[in-house]
Amino acid sequence: MDTAEVIIEVDNVTTAFGGHVIHRNLNLTVHRGEVVALIGGSGSGKTTLLRLLLGLEVPQAGSVKIFGHPLGRCAVRDLERVRYRWGVLFQAGALFSALSVFDNVALPLRELKSVPPDLIKPLVMLKLAQVGLKPDDALKQPSELSGGMIKRVSLARALILDPQLLFLDEPTAGLDPDSAKQFVKLLRKLRQELGLTVVMVTHDVDTLFAVVDRVAVLAEQHIIASGPLAEVARLPHHFVRNFFLGHIQRCEEDDLRRFRLSLDDTSDEGGVPAVLREEQTV
Amino acid sequence: MSDAGAIFPPHHLPDHPQAWSAGSPDAEPLLQANGPREWRVSGDWTLLALRGRYDEFRQRIASAVTEGGDALWDLRTLRRLDTAGALTLWQGWGKKPPSRLLWQPEHVTLFAQFMQPAALPKRGPRLGPGLERASLGLLAFARHGVDIVALIGRLLLDLVAVLRHPSLIGWREISANVYRTGAQALPITALVGFLVGLTLSYLISRQLKTYGADIFVINILGLAVLRELGPLLAAIIVAGRSGSAMTAQIGVMRVTQELDALSVMGISHTVRLVLPKVVALAISLPLVALWTSALMLLGGMAAAGAQLKLDPVQFLHLLPSVVEPVNLWLGWIKSMLFGGLIALLACHFGLRVKPNTESLGQSVTQSVVTAITLVIVVDAVFAVLFSNVGI
């Protein structure tokens, strides 16, 4: 894995807003096929780091490279090469409230201006099924959706261009435990099927246990630790200690594997979303 | 890092020689005949690589299927395949896999998802043009009417409550709104008023000059400006400027759930949001109208001075004697009514915004258009009712 291709490279980045320094000499590298979680306290700059990675903010110093293309000062052609290859799930979904679910998911495809409509329709319906939505949901408006469904639609929209890199901002925040579990299962399934590289910001310990390969802890303006869950959880840092309070035992590798196998158990609740299972039996 | 692979080996990475890197440009998608009745699919079959060539490839695949009978499809040398590429192949094959197919194991899941019957959504019955749509429009209009009546009723009840408990009056909001809708509107109304007065006076003077009735420019201009044009012009500008802002403000509060927060805290929307706006605009619009009228007269005076050599002092001296003061009061009362009307409509449309962006834009437009239309309608009604007063 150490020799795997580098997808994201954050090099000595410093960010400041109005004299207030958020990141100082921050470094982060993400390799292909990895699922990396960013954790950190409120106000530690997780969201800002994510925005840096997305090119929505420009660092004061240092550089951010995605797929080897530097963000910010790159040619339009390069940026296009990046933007069509990533998908982003925003925390509140960021669905276009004026468009129906179908149109929301179809939008990135239509913007390519080169995909025939008879290909768009099945592609969108496939993605909706993949994230566990019913065909009828396609005609709903975003205002009619529940929080969990908004996340699913947003995920479908993020996945519609079959990206190689997926950014998730608090994917399970605001979901009830069952929905969160379903969502995590969905992520695992998608990851297995699509071989995605995933960067996520999360506070949810269960999500970490379920899908994450590597945890990066953001505190004191830089990444203080980055490594497998079991290693990071033992870090003698007060934030990390509070974060994993009562979960230390679960970080053991055997326990972790057992937990993940239980999630992948397809015999019962399984990775297949409930909607699809119903359809198969019909 | 080290154990990540052990726990969770990446499933999908192609291990054949031409392994691709994630940032690399797309390779050409290729479909080649590889001997009789054998087709080789290679290169990148991805959304971006196939851009603009979907139909071409689907047709080529379809014709290969029909002519070749039982051809062998070799997908093993594909560099990259995604859902769009797989779907293109699938549609070309006629939505079923060919009988002789060689593929990479990781592509199985891609094709497997097409096997499930993908039920396409049925659009609900759309209303055609005709009676149904017209009746719906009428219904929406009636609903607006009911809502406005309800809002006015609520407002009157709240007004009584507020007058009984003067501590409820939001002086700060009223004052802030007077400043925003009145004081900040002075420059734009001054400019527009002066120019309109100038133009009007110039045209009138030219016509009167031919009849030698120069002095009547004061009568015409004074009456028209103080009674009709000043209040109307001010109302139209303020409706566009402040009415839209009020609708947008309340609309955004709906989108961000601030209105719900107010309700939950037991703070009345009408007392806190609507009433101060209505009162403030009813106060500030007459003042703005007076200001606009004054600037229009100034412009008229300037044009009359240039065109007819009419002395400004004479103009001002004659004005009170030829235009009855009741016209001023009429204009003043109309402006007050216009102000209340504009604010009321702005709040009405703001409160009706649904929590999405399109509804917000629609409501702001509707608010301004309705306010301007109603201002002109009310003005016409006034003109008929008071046709015998002050002329």
Side-chain angles (χ1 to χ4, degrees):
Chain A
M1 273 301 268
D2 286 331
T3 56
E5 184 193 350
V6 173
I7 298 272
I8 298 178
E9 197 178 356
V10 180
D11 187 25
N12 262 321
V13 156
T14 300
T15 329
F17 288 129
H20 177 65
V21 177
I22 295 168
H23 306 128
R24 197 186 295 279
N25 298 333
L26 187 146
N27 291 291
L28 179 70
T29 309
V30 178
H31 299 269
R32 185 155 104 197
E34 265 189 313
V35 177
V36 175
L38 285 173
I39 62 172
S42 296
S44 61
K46 299 184 299 292
T47 305
T48 311
L49 180 56
L50 201 64
R51 286 176 66 83
L52 277 176
L53 295 179
L54 295 173
L56 296 172
E57 307 277 356
V58 182
Q60 255 73 23
S63 71
V64 179
K65 278 187 189 166
I66 311 270
F67 301 127
H69 298 292
L71 292 181
R73 286 176 301 278
C74 60
V76 177
R77 178 123 191 90
D78 284 352
L79 201 64
E80 184 178 89
R81 211 167 272 165
V82 172
R83 292 234 159 112
Y84 291 151
R85 283 184 164 76
W86 72 27
V88 185
L89 172 70
F90 286 97
Q91 192 173 352
L95 296 179
F96 301 109
S97 55
L99 302 179
S100 69
V101 166
F102 183 92
D103 292 334
N104 257 293
V105 179
L107 184 83
L109 282 179
R110 290 187 176 144
E111 280 305 300
L112 289 177
K113 310 276 185 207
S114 58
V115 185
D118 59 336
L119 205 69
I120 289 180
K121 200 163 182 179
L123 275 177
V124 171
M125 297 316 290
L126 276 172
K127 284 298 173 207
L128 287 179
Q130 208 172 20
V131 300
L133 289 167
K134 293 195 205 76
D136 297 344
D137 295 332
L139 296 181
K140 286 185 178 155
Q141 292 294 320
S143 51
E144 299 169 53
L145 301 178
S146 68
M149 281 167 82
I150 286 177
K151 296 256 176 185
R152 280 164 190 262
V153 174
S154 186
L155 185 65
R157 189 178 69 179
L159 291 173
I160 191 68
L161 293 182
D162 279 319
Q164 292 146 16
L165 175 60
L166 188 63
F167 290 100
L168 308 170
D169 191 2
E170 309 245 3
T172 50
L175 298 184
D176 65 86
D178 192 47
S179 304
K181 201 174 172 190
Q182 289 280 331
F183 200 84
V184 166
K185 279 181 183 170
L186 184 66
L187 280 182
R188 277 184 74 74
K189 182 172 144 276
L190 289 174
R191 201 231 152 153
Q192 284 170 356
E193 283 176 8
L194 307 174
L196 291 168
T197 309
V198 182
V199 176
M200 65 166 95
V201 169
T202 187
H203 284 300
D204 184 28
V205 182
D206 278 334
T207 315
L208 286 184
F209 286 130
V211 286
V212 167
D213 297 329
R214 196 152 64 92
V215 180
V217 185
L218 191 60
E220 291 143 26
Q221 301 170 343
H222 64 282
I223 305 275
I224 57 166
S226 161
L229 204 52
E231 270 176 35
V232 169
R234 281 193 185 73
L235 215 67
H237 186 276
H238 61 93
F239 168 75
V240 176
R241 213 179 300 148
N242 285 335
F243 192 92
F244 290 102
L245 201 66
H247 293 287
I248 287 287
Q249 272 76 39
R250 291 175 64 192
C251 295
E252 294 298 334
E253 253 169 55
D254 289 340
D255 290 308
L256 209 57
R257 199 167 302 151
R258 214 172 300 131
F259 178 67
R260 290 182 175 186
L261 280 175
S262 78
L263 281 176
D264 285 343
D265 183 9
T266 43
S267 58
D268 184 27
E269 286 277 299
V272 185
V275 190
L276 286 184
R277 265 183 285 125
E278 279 164 26
E279 276 195 350
Q280 279 167 349
T281 55
V282 169
Chain B
M1 229 10 244
S2 53
D3 72 338
I7 295 173
F8 204 175
H11 282 237
H12 207 97
L13 306 184
D15 47 4
H16 46 87
Q18 324 110 290
W20 47 277
S21 76
S24 66
D26 296 302
E28 184 84 352
L30 293 172
L31 175 66
Q32 292 155 319
N34 197 27
R37 302 206 308 165
E38 191 180 330
W39 292 92
R40 181 194 293 270
V41 181
S42 60
D44 273 350
W45 282 65
T46 59
L47 193 65
L48 295 174
L50 286 167
R51 276 174 91 169
R53 302 177 63 185
Y54 291 99
D55 288 326
E56 175 201 334
F57 274 105
R58 274 190 299 195
Q59 278 161 14
R60 280 177 63 190
I61 296 165
S63 61
V65 166
T66 47
E67 79 188 25
D70 205 17
L72 173 74
W73 290 84
D74 187 356
L75 271 58
R76 287 171 304 176
T77 47
L78 265 176
R79 204 168 78 114
R80 224 170 352 161
L81 180 71
D82 69 2
T83 320
L87 191 62
T88 310
L89 280 169
W90 185 259
Q91 288 184 341
W93 288 334
K95 303 190 178 175
K96 59 179 192 308
S99 49
R100 293 165 64 209
L101 178 64
L102 294 169
W103 58 9
Q104 295 168 26
E106 62 262 27
H107 292 158
V108 175
T109 45
L110 267 180
F111 286 104
Q113 57 183 339
F114 304 139
M115 312 248 189
Q116 293 163 2
L120 295 172
K122 291 179 227 56
R123 299 252 167 200
R126 284 283 170 94
L127 290 174
L131 202 63
E132 221 167 348
R133 192 187 278 180
S135 59
L136 276 180
L138 201 67
L139 206 67
F141 185 74
R143 232 174 257 146
H144 270 289
V146 171
D147 277 4
I148 288 186
V149 170
L151 185 65
I152 293 174
R154 185 77 251 159
L155 208 60
L156 288 178
L157 289 178
D158 282 334
L159 198 64
V160 172
V162 162
L163 288 179
R164 245 189 234 155
H165 308 279
S167 61
L168 283 175
I169 301 177
W171 295 112
R172 273 171 166 281
E173 279 107 330
I174 293 177
S175 144
N177 274 309
V178 167
Y179 176 70
R180 239 177 281 145
T181 57
Q184 291 189 339
L186 292 184
I188 178 83
T189 46
L191 180 71
V192 174
F194 185 80
L195 292 179
V196 170
L198 200 77
T199 320
L200 215 57
S201 174
Y202 172 72
L203 291 176
I204 294 170
S205 307
R206 281 291 291 268
Q207 300 303 312
L208 290 179
K209 211 174 177 180
T210 48
Y211 297 103
D214 296 12
I215 204 71
F216 281 101
V217 71
I218 306 175
N219 300 37
I220 298 174
L221 211 60
L223 194 66
V225 165
L226 289 177
R227 189 184 167 103
E228 295 291 339
L229 293 179
L232 207 58
L233 197 63
I236 289 171
I237 292 174
V238 167
R241 217 185 140 268
S242 307
S244 57
M246 287 175 181
T247 309
Q249 187 206 345
I250 296 181
V252 170
M253 287 180 80
R254 164 77 71 210
V255 175
T256 54
Q257 288 191 310
E258 286 171 57
L259 288 183
D260 299 341
L262 280 180
S263 302
V264 170
M265 290 179 221
I267 298 170
S268 160
H269 295 170
T270 40
V271 170
R272 198 42 72 90
L273 293 173
V274 182
L275 198 60
K277 288 184 169 53
V278 173
V279 170
L281 210 53
I283 293 171
S284 64
L285 192 58
L287 299 173
V288 174
L290 197 68
W291 165 258
T292 313
S293 305
L295 264 297
M296 281 175 95
L297 286 178
L298 198 69
M301 221 151 68
Q307 193 74 23
L308 305 172
K309 307 282 176 285
L310 204 62
D311 184 28
V313 178
Q314 193 192 359
F315 192 105
L316 287 178
H317 189 71
L318 276 176
L319 192 62
S321 57
V322 295
V323 180
E324 286 183 44
V326 71
N327 286 308
L328 197 63
W329 293 115
L330 199 62
W332 189 286
I333 290 168
K334 272 202 297 198
S335 300
M336 229 155 106
L337 205 71
F338 291 165
L341 191 70
I342 291 168
L344 192 73
L345 285 170
C347 294
H348 163 74
F349 282 104
L351 289 170
R352 280 175 66 97
V353 168
K354 290 186 189 67
N356 66 64
T357 45
E358 193 169 14
S359 164
L360 184 64
Q362 225 167 30
S363 286
V364 172
T365 312
Q366 272 185 336
S367 155
V368 172
V369 170
T370 315
I372 292 177
T373 313
L374 272 187
V375 159
I376 291 171
V377 168
V378 170
D379 190 60
V381 170
F382 258 78
V384 172
L385 286 182
F386 293 89
S387 52
N388 294 327
V389 179
I391 302 175

Coordinates of all heavy atoms in Angstrom, one line a residue, chain B residues 38-80:
Chain B
E38 N -15.7 -12.0 -33.7 CA -15.1 -11.8 -32.4 C -14.8 -10.3 -32.3 O -14.2 -9.7 -33.2 CB -13.8 -12.6 -32.3 CG -13.2 -12.6 -30.9 CD -12.0 -13.4 -30.7 OE1 -11.8 -14.3 -31.5 OE2 -11.1 -13.0 -29.9
W39 N -15.2 -9.7 -31.2 CA -15.0 -8.3 -31.0 C -14.2 -8.0 -29.7 O -14.5 -8.6 -28.7 CB -16.4 -7.6 -30.9 CG -17.1 -7.6 -32.2 CD1 -18.0 -8.5 -32.6 CD2 -17.0 -6.6 -33.2 NE1 -18.5 -8.2 -33.8 CE2 -17.9 -7.0 -34.3 CE3 -16.3 -5.5 -33.4 CZ2 -18.0 -6.3 -35.4 CZ3 -16.4 -4.8 -34.6 CH2 -17.3 -5.2 -35.6
R40 N -13.3 -7.1 -29.9 CA -12.5 -6.8 -28.7 C -12.8 -5.4 -28.2 O -12.8 -4.4 -29.0 CB -11.0 -6.9 -29.0 CG -10.1 -6.6 -27.8 CD -8.7 -6.4 -28.3 NE -8.1 -7.6 -28.8 CZ -7.4 -8.5 -28.1 NH1 -7.3 -8.3 -26.8 NH2 -6.9 -9.6 -28.6
V41 N -13.2 -5.2 -27.0 CA -13.4 -3.9 -26.4 C -12.3 -3.5 -25.5 O -11.9 -4.2 -24.6 CB -14.7 -4.0 -25.6 CG1 -15.0 -2.6 -25.0 CG2 -15.9 -4.5 -26.4
S42 N -11.6 -2.4 -25.9 CA -10.5 -2.0 -25.1 C -10.4 -0.5 -24.9 O -11.3 0.2 -25.4 CB -9.2 -2.5 -25.7 OG -9.1 -2.0 -27.0
G43 N -9.4 0.0 -24.2 CA -9.3 1.4 -23.9 C -10.1 1.8 -22.7 O -10.4 0.9 -21.8
D44 N -10.4 3.1 -22.6 CA -11.2 3.5 -21.5 C -12.7 3.6 -21.9 O -13.0 4.4 -22.8 CB -10.8 4.9 -21.0 CG -9.6 4.9 -20.0 OD1 -9.4 3.8 -19.5 OD2 -9.0 5.9 -19.8
W45 N -13.5 2.9 -21.3 CA -15.0 3.1 -21.5 C -15.6 3.8 -20.3 O -16.2 3.1 -19.5 CB -15.6 1.7 -21.8 CG -15.3 1.2 -23.2 CD1 -14.1 0.9 -23.7 CD2 -16.3 1.1 -24.3 NE1 -14.3 0.6 -25.0 CE2 -15.6 0.7 -25.4 CE3 -17.7 1.2 -24.4 CZ2 -16.2 0.4 -26.6 CZ3 -18.3 1.0 -25.6 CH2 -17.5 0.6 -26.7
T46 N -15.3 5.1 -20.3 CA -15.8 5.8 -19.2 C -16.7 7.0 -19.7 O -16.7 7.3 -20.8 CB -14.7 6.4 -18.3 OG1 -13.9 7.2 -19.1 CG2 -13.9 5.3 -17.7
L47 N -17.4 7.6 -18.7 CA -18.3 8.7 -19.0 C -17.6 9.8 -19.8 O -18.1 10.3 -20.8 CB -18.8 9.3 -17.7 CG -19.9 10.2 -17.7 CD1 -21.1 9.6 -18.1 CD2 -20.1 10.8 -16.3
L48 N -16.4 10.1 -19.4 CA -15.7 11.2 -20.0 C -15.0 10.8 -21.3 O -15.0 11.6 -22.3 CB -14.6 11.8 -19.1 CG -15.2 12.5 -17.8 CD1 -14.2 12.9 -16.8 CD2 -16.1 13.7 -18.2
A49 N -14.5 9.6 -21.3 CA -13.8 9.2 -22.6 C -14.8 9.0 -23.7 O -14.5 9.2 -24.9 CB -13.1 7.8 -22.3
L50 N -16.1 8.6 -23.3 CA -17.1 8.4 -24.4 C -17.8 9.7 -24.8 O -18.7 9.6 -25.6 CB -18.1 7.4 -23.9 CG -17.6 5.9 -23.8 CD1 -18.6 5.1 -23.0 CD2 -17.5 5.3 -25.2
R51 N -17.4 10.8 -24.2 CA -18.2 12.0 -24.4 C -18.5 12.3 -25.8 O -17.6 12.3 -26.7 CB -17.4 13.2 -23.9 CG -17.5 13.5 -22.4 CD -16.6 14.6 -22.0 NE -17.2 15.9 -22.1 CZ -16.7 17.0 -21.6 NH1 -15.5 16.9 -21.0 NH2 -17.3 18.1 -21.7
G52 N -19.8 12.5 -26.1 CA -20.2 12.8 -27.5 C -20.2 11.7 -28.4 O -20.4 11.8 -29.6
R53 N -19.8 10.5 -28.0 CA -19.7 9.3 -28.9 C -20.5 8.2 -28.6 O -20.4 7.1 -29.1 CB -18.2 8.9 -29.0 CG -17.3 10.0 -29.4 CD -15.8 9.6 -29.4 NE -15.6 8.6 -30.4 CZ -14.4 7.9 -30.5 NH1 -13.4 8.3 -29.7 NH2 -14.2 7.0 -31.4
Y54 N -21.5 8.4 -27.6 CA -22.3 7.3 -27.2 C -23.1 6.7 -28.3 O -23.2 5.5 -28.4 CB -23.3 7.9 -26.1 CG -22.6 8.2 -24.8 CD1 -22.3 9.5 -24.5 CD2 -22.2 7.2 -23.9 CE1 -21.6 9.9 -23.4 CE2 -21.6 7.6 -22.7 CZ -21.3 8.9 -22.5 OH -20.6 9.2 -21.3
D55 N -23.8 7.6 -29.1 CA -24.7 7.0 -30.1 C -23.8 6.2 -31.1 O -24.3 5.2 -31.6 CB -25.4 8.2 -30.8 CG -26.5 8.7 -29.9 OD1 -27.0 7.9 -29.1 OD2 -26.7 10.0 -29.9
E56 N -22.7 6.8 -31.5 CA -21.8 6.1 -32.5 C -21.5 4.7 -32.0 O -21.7 3.7 -32.7 CB -20.5 6.9 -32.6 CG -19.5 6.3 -33.5 CD -18.1 6.9 -33.2 OE1 -18.0 8.0 -32.8 OE2 -17.1 6.2 -33.4
F57 N -21.1 4.6 -30.7 CA -20.7 3.3 -30.2 C -21.8 2.3 -30.0 O -21.7 1.2 -30.4 CB -19.9 3.4 -28.9 CG -18.5 3.7 -29.0 CD1 -17.9 4.9 -28.8 CD2 -17.6 2.6 -29.5 CE1 -16.6 5.2 -29.0 CE2 -16.3 2.9 -29.7 CZ -15.7 4.1 -29.4
R58 N -23.0 2.9 -29.6 CA -24.1 2.0 -29.4 C -24.6 1.5 -30.8 O -24.9 0.3 -30.9 CB -25.3 2.8 -28.8 CG -25.2 2.8 -27.3 CD -26.4 3.4 -26.7 NE -26.6 4.8 -27.1 CZ -27.5 5.6 -26.5 NH1 -28.2 5.1 -25.5 NH2 -27.6 6.8 -26.9
Q59 N -24.5 2.3 -31.8 CA -24.9 1.8 -33.1 C -23.9 0.8 -33.6 O -24.3 -0.3 -34.2 CB -25.0 3.0 -34.1 CG -26.3 3.7 -34.0 CD -26.2 5.1 -34.7 OE1 -25.3 5.4 -35.4 NE2 -27.2 5.9 -34.4
R60 N -22.6 1.0 -33.4 CA -21.6 0.0 -33.9 C -21.8 -1.3 -33.2 O -21.7 -2.4 -33.8 CB -20.2 0.6 -33.6 CG -19.8 1.6 -34.7 CD -18.4 2.2 -34.4 NE -17.4 1.2 -34.4 CZ -16.1 1.4 -34.0 NH1 -15.9 2.6 -33.5 NH2 -15.2 0.5 -34.0
I61 N -22.1 -1.2 -31.8 CA -22.2 -2.5 -31.1 C -23.5 -3.2 -31.6 O -23.5 -4.4 -31.8 CB -22.3 -2.2 -29.6 CG1 -21.0 -1.6 -29.1 CG2 -22.7 -3.4 -28.8 CD1 -21.2 -0.9 -27.7
A62 N -24.6 -2.4 -31.8 CA -25.8 -3.0 -32.2 C -25.7 -3.7 -33.5 O -26.2 -4.8 -33.7 CB -26.9 -1.9 -32.2
S63 N -25.0 -3.0 -34.5 CA -24.9 -3.6 -35.8 C -24.0 -4.8 -35.7 O -24.2 -5.8 -36.4 CB -24.3 -2.6 -36.8 OG -23.0 -2.1 -36.4
A64 N -23.0 -4.8 -34.8 CA -22.1 -6.0 -34.7 C -22.9 -7.1 -34.1 O -22.7 -8.3 -34.5 CB -21.0 -5.7 -33.7
V65 N -23.9 -6.8 -33.2 CA -24.7 -7.9 -32.7 C -25.6 -8.5 -33.7 O -25.7 -9.7 -33.9 CB -25.5 -7.4 -31.5 CG1 -26.6 -8.4 -31.1 CG2 -24.6 -7.1 -30.3
T66 N -26.2 -7.6 -34.5 CA -27.2 -8.2 -35.5 C -26.5 -8.9 -36.7 O -27.0 -9.9 -37.1 CB -28.0 -7.0 -36.1 OG1 -27.1 -6.0 -36.5 CG2 -29.0 -6.5 -35.1
E67 N -25.4 -8.4 -37.1 CA -24.7 -9.1 -38.3 C -24.0 -10.3 -37.9 O -24.0 -11.3 -38.6 CB -23.8 -8.1 -39.0 CG -22.5 -7.9 -38.3 CD -21.6 -6.8 -39.0 OE1 -22.2 -5.9 -39.6 OE2 -20.4 -6.9 -38.9
G68 N -23.4 -10.3 -36.7 CA -22.5 -11.4 -36.4 C -23.1 -12.6 -35.8 O -22.5 -13.6 -35.7
G69 N -24.4 -12.6 -35.6 CA -25.1 -13.7 -35.0 C -24.6 -14.0 -33.6 O -25.1 -13.4 -32.7
D70 N -23.6 -14.9 -33.5 CA -23.2 -15.3 -32.2 C -21.8 -14.9 -31.9 O -20.9 -15.8 -31.8 CB -23.4 -16.8 -32.1 CG -23.6 -17.3 -30.7 OD1 -23.9 -16.4 -29.8 OD2 -23.5 -18.5 -30.4
A71 N -21.5 -13.7 -31.9 CA -20.1 -13.2 -31.8 C -19.6 -13.3 -30.4 O -20.3 -13.3 -29.4 CB -20.0 -11.8 -32.3
L72 N -18.2 -13.4 -30.3 CA -17.6 -13.5 -29.0 C -17.2 -12.0 -28.6 O -16.6 -11.3 -29.4 CB -16.3 -14.3 -29.1 CG -15.5 -14.4 -27.8 CD1 -16.1 -15.2 -26.7 CD2 -14.1 -14.9 -28.2
W73 N -17.5 -11.6 -27.4 CA -17.1 -10.3 -26.9 C -16.1 -10.4 -25.9 O -16.2 -11.1 -24.9 CB -18.4 -9.6 -26.4 CG -19.3 -9.2 -27.4 CD1 -20.3 -10.0 -27.9 CD2 -19.4 -8.0 -28.1 NE1 -21.0 -9.3 -28.9 CE2 -20.5 -8.1 -29.0 CE3 -18.7 -6.8 -28.0 CZ2 -20.8 -7.0 -29.9 CZ3 -19.1 -5.7 -28.8 CH2 -20.1 -5.9 -29.8
D74 N -14.9 -9.8 -26.2 CA -13.8 -9.9 -25.3 C -13.6 -8.6 -24.6 O -13.2 -7.6 -25.2 CB -12.5 -10.2 -26.1 CG -11.4 -10.5 -25.2 OD1 -11.5 -10.4 -24.0 OD2 -10.3 -10.9 -25.8
L75 N -13.9 -8.6 -23.3 CA -13.7 -7.3 -22.5 C -12.5 -7.3 -21.6 O -12.3 -6.5 -20.7 CB -15.0 -7.1 -21.6 CG -16.2 -6.4 -22.2 CD1 -16.7 -7.0 -23.4 CD2 -17.3 -6.3 -21.1
R76 N -11.7 -8.3 -21.8 CA -10.6 -8.5 -20.8 C -9.5 -7.5 -20.9 O -8.8 -7.3 -20.0 CB -10.0 -9.9 -21.0 CG -10.9 -11.0 -20.5 CD -10.4 -12.4 -20.9 NE -10.2 -12.5 -22.3 CZ -9.6 -13.5 -22.9 NH1 -9.3 -14.6 -22.2 NH2 -9.5 -13.5 -24.2
T77 N -9.4 -6.8 -22.1 CA -8.3 -5.9 -22.2 C -8.8 -4.4 -21.9 O -8.0 -3.5 -22.2 CB -7.7 -5.9 -23.6 OG1 -8.8 -5.9 -24.5 CG2 -6.9 -7.2 -23.8
L78 N -10.0 -4.3 -21.4 CA -10.4 -3.0 -21.0 C -9.5 -2.3 -20.0 O -9.1 -3.0 -19.0 CB -11.8 -3.1 -20.4 CG -13.0 -2.8 -21.4 CD1 -14.3 -3.1 -20.6 CD2 -13.0 -1.4 -21.9
R79 N -9.2 -1.1 -20.2 CA -8.4 -0.4 -19.2 C -9.2 0.1 -18.0 O -8.9 0.0 -16.9 CB -7.7 0.8 -19.8 CG -6.4 1.2 -19.1 CD -5.6 2.2 -20.0 NE -6.2 3.5 -19.9 CZ -5.6 4.6 -19.3 NH1 -4.4 4.4 -18.8 NH2 -6.1 5.7 -19.3
R80 N -10.3 0.7 -18.4 CA -11.2 1.2 -17.4 C -12.7 1.1 -17.9 O -12.9 1.4 -19.0 CB -10.9 2.7 -17.1 CG -10.9 3.0 -15.6 CD -10.3 4.3 -15.2 NE -9.7 5.1 -16.2 CZ -9.6 6.4 -16.0 NH1 -10.0 7.0 -15.0 NH2 -8.9 7.2 -16.9

